[in-house]
Amino acid sequence: MTVPMLKIGAVLSTMAMVTNWMSQTLPSLVGLNGTIISPDGTHERIISGLYPGSEEGWQVYSTASDPDGRCVCTVVAPARNLCKRDPRNQQLRLLTEQVQNVSQSMEVVHLRTSRDLQYVRDSEPLLRGVDGHLHTYVASPRTLTSKTLQELKGQMSQLRPLLSVVEQYRLDLQMLATLRMELLNLSIILTAIQEEVGAYDYEELQQRVLLLETRLHSCMNKLGCGRLTAVSNPITVKSSGSRFGSWMTDAMIPSSDSRVWSMDGYYKGRRVLEYRTMGDFTKGQNFVQHLLPHPWAGTGHVVYNGSLYYNKHQSNILVQYHFRSRSVLLQRSLSGAGYNNTFPYSWGGSSDIDLMADETGLWAVYTSIPNAGNIMVSRLDPRSLEILQSWDTGFPKRSAGEAFMICGTLYVTNSHLAGAKVHFAYNTNTSTYEYTDIPFHNQYSHISMMDYNPRERALYTWNNGHQVLYNVTLFHVIQSDG
């Protein structure tokens, strides 16, 4: 190969090696080994590790001591939060964007140099031919004829595009110098962040935070039951189905079951959709269908310990359907209970019998003619569906929008429409009631199902074709140890 050809080949080989080194080494310099870049350009590992979302942090309200020396506090335990308020987040976001820009620029240079190198290789035989002819003509000028000169001019015109290739190399070398300066600046910034963070890296910090939150959740579980004092703003999980329906997770404590069930409609329905996780439910994927042998009435269903408990259509019979075996395990009449819109909630919908679960077990909320339409609360044995104990709350069921149990206390809303609030509570532990004033935002103006899940400490609602969650604040009184 001639000297010019050797120089061009050396420049191309050097640029290819530099590009390859930068593409392999830059991720390790900035801590992106194994990072996956999604189609929208987001670095998923950094985002999932350092920027978890917009959930609230742990909060402790109104800590004080009462006259008897007891510590009184209210704790709100939200979803996990991994250092999202760290002031370095914005700086790391900017670094991520810069790394992305540098990576894209390197990719462009790499593709261009690879293409041009192939072009030069394809032109090599022509270059060798021109070089041989020139050596021949220099050694023997008489061999140069008008015909050979014309051929030489044609070959030279074919080689003319190499000039633009060489010019592009010059521009790419300038770009590489600019990228080198950007890499140097990134290294300086990352070094400063590393010194600021100190001995702990983010992986270790995440593990420490997760451990602390696990201990806090354990502490919350040990707090036991409390009195409802507030309902959060609504969290819309999904928009699906008709105006009326029911959705739920297993209310049994403890349980690792992550499945979600959905039952659309309130009249003669038989189709139950079972989703593997809450994420699958929101996306409408990974589900199986159960076809119940008996249709349901209303929306007052509950899943407890792997079984669905529901009211059989046009009867006061309670049915236990086991999901794993896909069979009915038990049927029993709820003696004296009204059905078929005899004593529904204010919105109707065959909501005469409302089954629910809380920290203390399985419950039925209903009424009967002897009780003059007032709400009855009965504790049920989940294995036999026998009534263990009943209470007459004295509250007219037709005046209630919905109801749910928390820690053995029945909470009743005054309406299923906009402006609703929790305004009545009946404590089965003391057989006493009180009127409350706990407002909540009825975002879609028509709630046809509202149930408390003690595992999640959240209210599940079906609101005008929307599946909505509410977090609850419970008031706990803890006896201090001095």
Side-chain angles (χ1 to χ4, degrees):
M1 186 181 291
T2 61
V3 173
M5 184 64 191
L6 287 172
K7 288 183 179 179
I8 292 175
V11 170
L12 286 169
S13 300
T14 302
M15 292 183 66
M17 287 189 295
V18 169
T19 304
N20 184 55
W21 174 85
M22 291 173 71
S23 64
Q24 293 180 358
T25 308
L26 181 62
S28 63
L29 286 176
V30 296
L32 292 179
N33 299 44
T35 301
I36 299 173
I37 300 180
S38 62
D40 61 356
T42 304
H43 293 267
E44 293 180 350
R45 179 175 168 189
I46 285 187
I47 297 300
S48 63
L50 302 181
Y51 313 115
S54 58
E55 292 87 354
E56 291 292 330
W58 282 82
Q59 299 179 29
V60 179
Y61 295 130
S62 64
T63 57
S65 296
D66 66 7
D68 298 326
R70 294 179 297 183
C71 174
V72 180
C73 64
T74 302
V75 180
V76 177
R80 289 175 175 173
N81 184 331
L82 301 179
C83 308
K84 82 181 185 73
R85 293 185 177 85
D86 194 314
R88 292 178 289 268
N89 276 2
Q90 182 62 28
Q91 196 173 16
L92 287 171
R93 287 181 187 271
L94 294 176
L95 282 175
T96 302
E97 294 175 1
Q98 292 176 27
V99 168
Q100 180 183 343
N101 293 336
V102 171
S103 300
Q104 291 175 347
S105 299
M106 288 192 305
E107 183 67 18
V108 170
V109 173
H110 176 68
L111 292 174
R112 191 160 54 220
T113 53
S114 299
R115 179 199 62 194
D116 293 342
L117 179 59
Q118 185 61 43
Y119 177 77
V120 171
R121 285 173 176 168
D122 295 340
S123 303
E124 184 176 354
L126 187 60
L127 275 171
R128 288 181 181 276
V130 171
D131 185 58
H133 289 154
L134 288 175
H135 278 290
T136 300
Y137 300 148
V138 169
S140 180
R142 293 181 179 181
T143 59
L144 183 64
T145 65
S146 59
K147 180 180 179 181
T148 55
L149 181 61
Q150 195 67 28
E151 291 176 353
L152 184 61
K153 287 182 178 179
Q155 292 174 341
M156 293 299 295
S157 64
Q158 294 180 42
L159 293 174
R160 189 171 292 113
L162 282 176
L163 294 175
S164 61
V165 172
V166 174
E167 177 63 21
Q168 186 61 57
Y169 290 157
R170 185 181 66 81
L171 298 176
D172 286 345
L173 286 173
Q174 294 177 358
M175 178 180 290
L176 285 173
T178 302
L179 293 176
R180 180 178 177 277
M181 291 302 299
E182 290 189 27
L183 280 174
L184 180 61
N185 292 334
L186 285 172
S187 299
I188 294 173
I189 296 173
L190 286 171
T191 301
I193 292 178
Q194 184 177 8
E195 292 175 353
E196 185 179 355
V197 171
Y200 300 108
D201 59 17
Y202 270 92
E203 294 291 335
E204 185 175 354
L205 288 174
Q206 287 181 28
Q207 293 302 318
R208 289 164 65 92
V209 170
L210 289 174
L211 177 61
L212 286 173
E213 291 196 342
T214 299
R215 293 173 63 184
L216 284 170
H217 278 291
S218 176
C219 178
M220 283 294 294
N221 291 333
K222 291 179 181 179
L223 287 176
C225 283
R227 178 168 56 86
L228 180 67
T229 58
V231 177
S232 74
N233 286 326
I235 304 167
T236 301
V237 176
K238 189 180 180 182
S239 215
S240 67
S242 64
R243 190 178 187 186
F244 313 98
S246 181
W247 72 294
M248 65 217 79
T249 57
D250 199 315
M252 179 72 175
I253 299 177
S255 174
S256 58
D257 196 336
S258 61
R259 291 175 294 172
V260 180
W261 292 271
S262 175
M263 302 168 68
D264 190 13
Y266 69 85
Y267 183 74
K268 296 179 66 174
R270 295 177 59 197
R271 181 170 172 261
V272 182
L273 297 183
E274 174 188 305
Y275 296 85
R276 188 175 59 183
T277 64
M278 184 68 76
D280 290 333
F281 173 70
T282 59
K283 297 175 184 177
Q285 63 184 20
N286 294 327
F287 65 88
V288 295
Q289 177 178 291
H290 297 266
L291 193 63
L292 300 178
H294 309 292
W296 71 69
T299 59
H301 329 298
V302 65
V303 174
Y304 190 76
N305 197 21
S307 289
L308 171 69
Y309 294 85
Y310 69 96
N311 175 209
K312 187 176 179 180
H313 176 61
Q314 287 190 338
S315 73
N316 60 10
I317 295 175
L318 308 183
V319 180
Q320 179 189 3
Y321 174 85
H322 190 249
F323 285 114
R324 297 290 184 194
S325 64
R326 292 177 173 264
S327 62
V328 171
L329 300 185
L330 187 64
Q331 295 187 64
R332 182 180 290 274
S333 173
L334 189 60
S335 181
Y339 61 92
N340 199 25
N341 275 327
T342 303
F343 297 109
Y345 288 126
S346 60
W347 64 274
S350 299
S351 56
D352 302 77
I353 298 175
D354 193 359
L355 300 174
M356 55 191 71
D358 69 353
E359 292 83 352
T360 61
L362 186 64
W363 300 84
V365 172
Y366 60 100
T367 191
S368 63
I369 294 177
N371 293 103
N374 292 331
I375 291 179
M376 290 287 296
V377 181
S378 292
R379 176 90 178 273
L380 303 179
D381 183 342
R383 293 166 298 185
S384 64
L385 289 178
E386 292 182 349
I387 295 177
L388 302 177
Q389 191 175 354
S390 296
W391 294 262
D392 185 345
T393 66
F395 190 91
K397 192 166 186 293
R398 287 183 175 274
S399 298
E402 273 290 340
F404 53 90
M405 296 288 296
I406 298 181
C407 299
T409 298
L410 178 72
Y411 293 93
V412 180
T413 68
N414 65 340
S415 174
H416 62 283
L417 303 174
K421 63 181 179 179
V422 180
H423 84 134
F424 179 83
Y426 186 90
N427 191 331
T428 61
N429 298 310
T430 61
S431 299
T432 58
Y433 70 89
E434 64 175 332
Y435 286 94
T436 60
D437 187 9
I438 304 174
F440 62 93
H441 181 38
N442 187 348
Q443 186 171 359
Y444 303 106
S445 303
H446 197 289
I447 294 177
S448 59
M449 167 259 180
M450 175 176 274
D451 269 340
Y452 172 72
N453 187 294
R455 284 175 57 203
E456 309 293 338
R457 294 204 168 177
L459 293 174
Y460 283 63
T461 68
W462 188 292
N463 195 337
N464 216 353
H466 300 79
Q467 292 71 53
V468 182
L469 286 175
Y470 294 88
N471 290 316
V472 297
T473 301
L474 302 181
F475 181 83
H476 305 272
V477 176
I478 308 170
Q479 180 68 46
S480 64
D481 295 329

